[in-house]
């Protein structure tokens, strides 16, 4: 028989046992859907994390207190080795930077009339807007004079403005933060969270005010302690130079002779770390889901062995009238491949639907590459071929006389 005849006979045989064929494909369908959904989820998570990191601002470096080893050990107590004067020194003495912003944050109770919320209060400096690429929607941001005078002024995020003032702008209103009155002088444009902090649902005050009136930014013998310092390099080519100069300056200021009591991380390094983590998770999820494909392949082999046993008489008659071992082998292999590819196509449709549903219900961007889909369908077809070989060989090796006698 030629390929066309074998394909036609295999299709008719499978169609004659629709329920069994459907149940056989079920394992492949579930496997394909699981793999595609998991890979799509992983890729969506990767795009989401990358998008979050890209909102940090261009050419950004983060100076974080404590050594890298201390941070990696996951110590519960955050080291306090950076102060506001370090940020001032970087701004004044490092020529390769264009902006420096110090930050310190902590949760406080914020109230306005009969409304209240326990949210993050961020103490910062005027360069925060340019360094972190934020914009003011209404009013103004914290000024140098506010920092110098420890003024009781505040800038609120858009989400918090809606919670406290509904449709009003909030400018000129007075809120209580930790029991202290603050005048609202500005509202930030909505941007979303980054670095685990939602600035849309936060209050921003001068760093000196937070240290002197709200606590959380302790005054050490060396100055006002900060959570981290964000630095904007002049351009992409200046980032390595800026990191080198900042390291030397802080080592000199802190009288460091051995291990640094701070470390510097760039946006690119954070992206690399995030991509490595999400890539590994995607691979792990795909591998776990791939077990379903393996189980589906075993199901195909089992059903094909049953089919060989049921069709012993048919095989004997066909071999008796001249069908070769290759003809029998080809027909059973084609049946196994049809089952696996059909299951793969249906599973792909289910998986893509699952990805689209995830995109609607989560912040992850829906989507999966065509290459991943093609690879998954190809793998499912390969599984059908692999697990169909043994039953097909069993059928091809049947002696026609013995087959007819035992039928």
């Amino acid at each position: 028989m030629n390929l066309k005849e074998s394909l036609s006979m295999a299709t008719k045989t499978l169609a004659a046992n629709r329920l069994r064929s459907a149940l056989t494909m079920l394992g492949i369908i579930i496997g394909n859907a699981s793999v595609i959904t998991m890979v799509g989820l992983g890729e969506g998570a990767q795009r989401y994390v990358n998008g979050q990191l890209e909102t940090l601002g261009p050419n950004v470096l983060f100076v974080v207190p404590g050594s890298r080893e201390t941070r990696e050990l996951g110590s519960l107590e955050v080291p306090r080795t950076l102060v506001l004067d370090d940020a001032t020194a970087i701004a004044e003495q490092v020529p390769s930077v264009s902006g420096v912003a110090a930050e310190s944050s902590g949760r406080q109770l914020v109230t306005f009339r009969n409304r209240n919320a326990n949210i993050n209060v961020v103490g910062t400096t005027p360069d925060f807007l340019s360094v972190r690429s934020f914009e003011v929607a209404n009013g103004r941001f914290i000024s140098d004079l506010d920092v110098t005078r420890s003024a009781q002024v505040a800038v609120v995020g858009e989400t918090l403005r809606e919670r406290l003032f509904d449709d009003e702008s909030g400018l000129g209103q007075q809120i209580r933060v930790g029991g202290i009155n603050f005048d609202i002088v500005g509202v930030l444009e909505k941007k979303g969270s980054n670095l685990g902090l939602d600035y849309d649902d936060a209050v921003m005050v001068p760093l000196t005010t937070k240290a002197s009136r709200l606590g959380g930014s302790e005054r050490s013998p060396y100055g006002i302690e900060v959570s981290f310092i964000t630095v904007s390099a002049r351009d992409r080519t200046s980032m390595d130079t800026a990191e080198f100069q900042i390291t030397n300056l802080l080592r000199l200021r802190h009288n460091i002779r051995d291990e640094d009591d701070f470390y510097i991380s760039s946006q690119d390094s954070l992206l690399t770390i995030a991509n490595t983590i999400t890539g590994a998770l995607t691979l792990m999820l795909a591998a776990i889901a791939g077990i379903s494909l393996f189980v589906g392949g075993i199901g195909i082999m089992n059903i094909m062995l049953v089919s060989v046993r049921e069709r012993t008489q048919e095989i004997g008659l066909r071999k008796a009238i001249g069908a070769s071992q290759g003809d029998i082998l080809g027909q059973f292999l084609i049946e196994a491949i049809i089952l696996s590819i059909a299951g793969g196509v249906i599973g792909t449709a289910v998986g893509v639907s699952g990805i689209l549903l995830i995109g609607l219900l989560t912040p992850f961007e829906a989507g999966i590459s065509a290459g991943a889909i093609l690879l998954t369908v190809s793998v499912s077809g390969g599984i059908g071929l692999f697990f169909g070989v043994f039953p097909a060989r069993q059928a091809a090796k049947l002696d026609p006389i013995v087959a007819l006698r035992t039928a």
Side-chain angles (χ1 to χ4, degrees), residues 175-208:
I175 59 174
R176 291 181 67 82
V177 181
I180 307 296
N181 291 329
F182 282 81
D183 295 320
I184 295 179
V185 296
V187 179
L188 291 176
E189 281 192 358
K190 197 174 185 69
K191 187 171 183 178
S193 63
N194 54 54
L195 288 183
L197 182 61
D198 185 1
Y199 290 94
D200 294 336
D201 196 23
V203 172
M204 312 197 73
V205 300
L207 183 57
T208 51

Side-chain angles (χ1 to χ4, degrees), residues 213-406:
R213 299 181 182 276
L214 299 177
S217 299
E218 303 296 336
R219 287 184 179 272
S220 72
Y222 306 102
I224 299 173
E225 295 171 345
V226 299
S227 302
F228 59 90
I229 299 171
T230 312
V231 179
S232 178
R234 293 193 179 278
D235 50 53
R236 297 288 294 179
T237 59
S238 302
M239 294 188 70
D240 290 339
T241 303
E243 183 174 349
F244 176 77
Q245 293 173 344
I246 293 169
T247 300
N248 287 340
L249 174 63
L250 293 182
R251 285 181 62 86
L252 182 63
R253 284 181 54 82
H254 296 184
N255 296 317
I256 295 174
R257 299 183 183 277
D258 298 314
E259 183 184 25
D260 293 342
D261 62 0
F262 63 91
Y263 74 92
I264 301 174
S265 180
S266 67
Q267 185 185 42
D268 288 342
S269 65
L270 292 175
L271 281 170
T272 301
I273 294 171
N275 287 337
T276 300
I277 294 172
T278 54
L281 287 174
T282 301
L283 184 61
M284 181 185 71
L285 291 172
I288 293 172
I291 296 173
S292 300
L293 278 176
F294 182 78
V295 173
I298 293 176
I300 288 178
M301 182 171 66
N302 182 49
I303 294 300
M304 294 305 295
L305 284 171
V306 172
S307 180
V308 169
R309 189 172 185 83
E310 289 179 347
R311 294 158 63 186
T312 301
Q313 185 178 21
E314 173 196 333
I315 295 168
L317 286 173
R318 290 183 59 196
K319 296 191 76 172
I321 60 175
S324 66
Q325 285 192 7
D327 292 333
I328 305 298
L329 179 69
Q331 182 185 348
F332 279 88
L333 276 181
I334 288 172
E335 289 180 18
I337 293 172
I338 288 175
L339 287 173
S340 59
I341 290 181
V345 171
I346 297 172
T348 298
V350 174
V352 171
S353 301
I355 292 172
L356 294 176
L357 183 61
I358 290 172
L360 292 175
L361 300 178
T362 69
F364 297 155
E365 182 182 347
I368 186 172
S369 62
I373 293 175
L374 181 61
L375 178 63
T376 306
V377 175
S378 300
V379 168
S380 66
I383 285 175
L385 178 62
F386 177 78
F387 284 99
V389 167
F390 180 72
R393 284 176 59 84
Q394 290 287 96
K397 287 182 177 181
L398 282 176
D399 183 270
I401 298 176
V402 175
L404 290 172
R405 183 185 302 159
T406 57

Side-chain angles (χ1 to χ4, degrees), residues 2-54:
N2 57 33
L3 179 61
K4 184 177 180 181
E5 291 175 337
S6 297
L7 185 61
S8 175
M9 183 173 291
T11 304
K12 291 177 180 178
T13 301
L14 294 174
N17 298 278
R18 292 185 180 85
L19 181 58
R20 186 167 69 181
S21 299
L23 292 175
T24 305
M25 289 190 297
L26 190 59
I28 297 294
I29 292 172
I30 294 173
N32 263 60
S34 300
V35 171
I36 288 177
T37 303
M38 292 300 101
V39 172
L41 181 62
E43 291 185 2
Q46 189 169 10
R47 284 192 289 268
Y48 175 77
V49 172
N50 289 348
Q52 290 290 300
L53 291 176
E54 287 171 359

Side-chain angles (χ1 to χ4, degrees), residues 129-161:
L129 284 184
S130 59
V131 172
R132 299 293 295 275
S133 299
F134 275 76
E135 298 288 341
V136 174
N138 286 303
R140 66 174 180 86
F141 195 65
I142 296 164
S143 66
D144 289 316
L145 187 60
D146 294 329
V147 175
T148 302
R149 293 181 174 179
S150 298
Q152 292 175 212
V153 296
V155 177
V156 299
E158 176 63 21
T159 302
L160 181 61
R161 182 202 64 77

